[in-house]
Every structure is written in C-alpha cells, then in structure tokens.
Amino acid sequence: MNIKDKNIDELKDISKNLRNTILNTVSKNGGHLSSPIGAVDLIVGMHYVFDVKRDPFIFDVSHQAYAHKLLTDRADKFSTLRQFGGISGYTKPNESDYDYFVAGHSSTSISLAVGAAKAIKLKKEDRTPIAFIGDGSMSAGMVYEALNELGDKKYPVVIILNDNEMSISKPIGAISKYLSKKMAENSYQRFRKFTEKILEHFPESASYMARKMEDWLKLITPGMLFEELGIDYIGPIDGHNLEEIIETLKVAKEFKGPVIVHAQTLKGKGYAKAEGYYENWHGVGPFDLKSGEPLKKKSGKNATTLFSDALLELAKKYDNVVGVTAAMPSGTGLKKCMDKFPDRFWDVAIAEQHAVTSMAALAKEGFKPFVAIYSTFLQRAYDQVIHDCCLMALPVVFAIDRAGIVGEDGETHQGLFDISYLRTIPNMTLFAPRDEKSMKYAVWFAYKMQTPCAFRYPRGDFLDSSKFPSCEYELGKSQLLKEGKDILFIGYGNGVGRACETYEILDNSLDPAILDLVFAKPLDEEMLLKLSKEYKKWYIFSDSVKIGGIYTAILEFLNDKDIKDVELESFEYDDIFIEHGSIKEVEKSLGLLPEQLAQKIKIG
C-alpha cells in the first residue's frame, strides 16, 4: 500500500484500520498482540518517510512488524498469519521482498543495519538502513557492541527505539521534554554543527566552556548514553502522535549519520484490555475480542508447569537452589520461584549469555543454579555453556523448555538442536523426562549432579506414556518399559510417548519392546548391548534433528562395539528448518504422527 500521498487524517484512519485488522486476526489465530498494535503508528510513519522499496527496514524483534506486513504485499493473506502454509509471525525474506531479514531472536537489528550501511557505502548507493528496535531488545549486549562501532564509524543509520516500557530512561520534567523537542528541530541540529566548526578556531578555554554547556544539556535528557557513544539522539517523542513521528523521522533522515529516535509507546494501544505492561497479552492464543477471555481453556498441567512445581518444591527444601531466566519468567515457569524467593531467582532480561555465566559463578560459590531457557534461545549462550560451565565442570543445570516442535512461531523457535549441540561438550550430562512423575525425578536428580547437566521437555503436555510407570533416575541408566519380539522402540523424552502411542496403533502381528533411553549422554551401554542380541531392528523416537541426535548417538555406539547386525531407523527430524503451523499439522507434514509412523513400521 502506497501511503506517501495521504494526509494526516487519512494516515490516522489507516493506523486505526491496521490495529483492527491485527486484533481481529490475532483473536482468531493467536499470536503476538500487545507489541504489534502498540507499534502501528511508528510503522505507519516509517513507511511514510522512508522508501520501503529501497531502504532496508530491519525489525527487532520482528513480531512487532504485523503492520509492516499489512502495508506491503500481504494484506490479502494476513488472515493466514501463523497458520500452516500461511504467512509467518516474523519477517521472512522468502515470503516478501519487503522483509529484509529473518528476525525471530532479538537484538540483531543494529548489527544488521551497520552491515547494510557498510554494503551501501561500498556500492556507492543512496539508501538508508532503518532499525526498528524495541520490546526489550535493548537489554541484550549485542546491541551495544553494534552501537559502539556505529558511533565510531558514523554510518548513516536511523534507529527507531520503540520504548514500550519506558525501558531506557524517563524524561525528567518539562525542561527535558522541551529540550528534546528542540533537539529534533532542524535549526538546533544546524546550529550544533555550525558551532562545532566554529569551536575549532576558538581558544581552548572558550571551547572547553562551550562543550561543558552541551554536556550539561545532555545530562538532563534521556539521550546521554547514545550521545556519549557518538550517536545523535532525538526524543523522547510520542510514538502515537503521527504528526510528531513524521516530523521527527524527516529530521532524522537528513542527518546523514547515525541517529536514534526515542519514541515512547503504549503496549496494546487501541485495545483497552491489553494496554500497559501485561505479560499475558504479549503472546496469546485465540480469544474473544469482547471479553478478552481465551477461547480454549487450559487443561491439566503442561511440562512447564510440572517443572515449575518441582523446582519450587526443591527450592523450599534447599536454600542453595537458585535460578535464572532471560526475559521469560512465565514462559519458563520460573515466576513461581521468583515470587516466593525474589533474592534467589532472577530475570536478567534478554541476556542469555550473561544469564549462563552469572550462574557459573554462583555454582563456583557453592550454590545450585537452574538456568531455565527455551531450546531455541539457549543457542545464543553456546560459548558460555562450553567456556564458563563445562570447562570447569561446574554443576549448572540447564532446564530446556520448548524442546521439539513449538508450532506457530516456526523456524526461528523450533527446539530441534539442543541434543546435537550439547552432546559434543565434555563434562555435560543429558537426560529427558517423559511424564509428570519423571519430571520431578529429573529436577531432583539434577540437584544431586556435581557436574553440568541438561534436561529437555516439550511445549505443552507430554505425549501419553502413563501405561508404563516411571522410576527414579540413576546416572546413565535407561528403563526398559516392556519386552517384545523382533523390534525395539527407543524413545527419548517426549519421544517415549510417541513410541507408546505408535505401539497402541500397531496390530497384534508386531509386538515391539519399548525402551525409555532416559540419558542421551552417557548412554546405557550395558542395556543396549543386551538388547542388540535380542532385537535386530531398532526404531528411534526423539523430538530432535537426526544429525547429532539420538540416532547418531546410537549409531556411534553400534560402530564402537562393532555391532553390524542391528538395523536402525530414525523418526527424528531431517536436515531442514521446519515451517510454522500447529504442532499437529507440522508433524503430519513431516510424517511423524503416531498413525503415520505405525504405517511405516508395518510396511517395513
């Protein structure tokens, strides 16, 4: 949609219509809500002032970009948001040429903008990268690494800071707002650059006094940090006032250097029930627009709740139990412990690297840290896991939520790789619960470990393996759930439930033995050697990629033991990034539903 010929009243109507479209779609499909509707006015102003066909529009985190999708070429497809085969909830270049980069993880935009600015300079083109950053993304260290170089090299980059929680700094009274507004005006910026040239010819004492005066002005504005990094600062402005947004962005566009526009917005703007900082409105399932009530009530305890309850019970018993999460206190279930023990459990914002290393120090001091992070986000702290935890064999526990297919968030969030990237690290122990009782056993076993360990569990409920009772963990020991004939099902974590459900579908002609592997590292070699003599066809069930996963671990074992008469077949994920959609639809597309697996096993 071309909005450059619209007047202010028309732009306001467009913003209103965009909000309504987002609200109606998310209420039906689920998705991120409060952030994207709070960002609408800024995105309209961004599209009005800059050229989306030429300038890189870089969103961070890109769940804020729903309005951008509607303004480009996806209005007619927006009803398919986050649905299987539909458009993504994040920016995605192979979905649209107007999406510059994939951005499901946070705090990458300014680095991308710096890289784009370097390329533009080398190509001698007249384009301006715009980084739209907010929703907590400024809390990650990568942002400041990028700002550090940007302030030094002075590339022409416009950074729009969507401050929807007043997360940078609050304006100090009327004088700050007045000065900030004056800083946004062309006359002030021209005067400043003119003054800088004049000062070069002044005596040192006069130059010193003039610079001190400017420093004093900075101290009573929120932009001091950015100015000290060498980046011009404008703001704070009202991120819902289109006139002010457009006027300010036009000024920023003319800077021809790095500039940050600090806009204060309200999360959930336009939907009263979601306005303000309410974590439960950040990401939602389908809900009734009128009442705000979810359309589907949660039933039973999911894996995250089971972990949360078990950890709280452990923390009540042992004073040395501590924990950390990176901006996901509710999502990881750590909030219960934070509420009960605020001095022992922390949310460090979007800073996975810092979270892991800080817990390594606590482990060295005799505490027992639990690091609760989604599988996809633990990838961001891989060096810290190796260098700061495993190298010194410190007893840090990694509770890995959202392992396996997570559904509508898609490629950037699927928890596929944690087994593969952790299994290679010396001193690391890997295991996985499969049901409610084994989750408690996993948490308590982890407490006793004197070296680093990690256990994984799925988003939502465990698949049903309740027919076979769980028992307490013993290091490196698997659990044979049932004997059988000819074939063996090996399950790991939630894969045990998939194996059990597949077994229930098979007819009486096939009677597999079922093994809960429990430990991916170390393997129960004694049990596997025994089973290799009884069963010659093994099927692997695990919610992870095949490369480096359970299949690879078993294959390595068979090779090391020179066992050549056992045939392996893996039902893990192939070497691909997996699309978004409901978990069941995605698994069906991959041929991994129990009924599909049963058919494959029958055929051969």
Side-chain angles (χ1 to χ4, degrees), residues 296-308 330-333 374 400-409 413-415 433-436 439 456-464 493-494 498 501 543 583-584 587:
K296 184 179 179 182
K297 301 292 184 181
K298 293 182 179 179
S299 59
K301 289 186 176 181
N302 59 34
T304 302
T305 302
L306 296 174
F307 162 71
S308 177
S330 293
T332 61
Y374 294 0
I400 304 174
D401 203 330
R402 270 51 169 189
I405 301 295
V406 300
E408 290 83 357
D409 279 332
H413 283 59
Q414 312 286 21
R434 62 176 171 89
D435 58 13
E436 180 171 356
M439 174 64 86
R456 72 192 315 253
Y457 43 96
R459 179 185 183 183
D461 299 341
F462 283 107
L463 295 175
D464 186 17
N494 205 37
R498 196 178 308 277
E501 291 184 3
D543 296 341
I583 292 175
K584 187 170 184 178
E587 288 179 344

Side-chain angles (χ1 to χ4, degrees), residues 372-437:
I373 295 182
Y374 294 0
S375 173
T376 182
F377 296 138
L378 187 57
Q379 295 163 188
R380 310 190 75 178
Y382 190 54
D383 179 61
Q384 287 67 34
V385 175
I386 296 175
H387 185 277
D388 301 331
C389 297
C390 292
L391 192 61
M392 294 172 60
L394 294 168
V396 178
V397 179
F398 295 92
I400 304 174
D401 203 330
R402 270 51 169 189
I405 301 295
V406 300
E408 290 83 357
D409 279 332
E411 300 101 316
T412 58
H413 283 59
Q414 312 286 21
L416 313 182
F417 309 110
D418 53 273
I419 297 173
S420 303
Y421 67 69
L422 293 175
R423 197 172 66 83
T424 61
I425 309 174
N427 296 327
M428 176 62 81
T429 297
L430 301 180
F431 52 101
R434 62 176 171 89
D435 58 13
E436 180 171 356
K437 188 168 284 188

